[in-house]
Amino acid sequence: QVQLVESGGGLVQPGGSLRLSCVANVRIFSSYVMAWYHQAPGKQRELVARIGTGGTTVYADSVKGRFTISRDNAKTTVSLQMNNLKPEDTGVYYCNREPLNFDWGPGTQVTVSS
């Protein structure tokens, strides 16, 4: 059974930075497109960044220029560097495979507030 475990969230002031990590206990991790999703309070989960098997990245307009997704296939890890955080970035962040999602992990809470 696939397990996704996210970490790295926390409370940060506007303009601050966080780095999220997700470890996936899957075989052939390198063959999967991986993504980070954001679920704001009271809203649906939305994709914010995707990284292909060759490292190609795609970002939602709301995070473009501020967030950077990366992967380490040897460690079966996908990361999200979040800079210049805004209050609207608050929420739970999840990683998963795209487009066919695995079971969701617990996510990691990010709160951007002064």
Side-chain angles (χ1 to χ4, degrees):
Q1 184 177 354
V2 173
Q3 282 188 318
L4 302 169
V5 180
E6 301 90 350
S7 63
L11 173 64
V12 63
Q13 292 186 342
S17 298
L18 284 173
R19 184 175 180 85
L20 308 183
S21 292
C22 169
V23 179
N25 73 333
V26 294
R27 295 181 177 180
I28 56 175
F29 174 84
S30 60
S31 69
Y32 299 136
V33 176
M34 296 297 295
W36 281 95
Y37 301 78
H38 170 222
Q39 186 165 22
K43 295 188 177 181
Q44 289 192 336
R45 193 155 34 205
E46 297 182 337
L47 188 147
V48 295
R50 176 195 299 131
I51 185 165
T53 57
T56 302
T57 57
V58 176
Y59 298 94
D61 288 343
S62 60
V63 306
K64 205 170 290 184
R66 300 188 298 121
F67 291 10
T68 302
I69 188 172
S70 60
R71 66 190 299 159
D72 184 335
N73 291 331
K75 296 182 179 179
T76 64
T77 298
V78 58
S79 300
L80 188 68
Q81 178 66 42
M82 309 165 69
N83 297 331
N84 190 21
L85 283 160
K86 303 177 179 181
E88 52 263 43
D89 296 322
T90 294
V92 182
Y93 285 77
Y94 304 86
C95 72
N96 214 319
R97 179 177 66 168
E98 265 276 299
L100 298 176
N101 297 148
F102 297 121
D103 289 342
W104 295 91
T108 186
Q109 174 72 44
V110 171
T111 302
V112 185
S113 175
S114 55

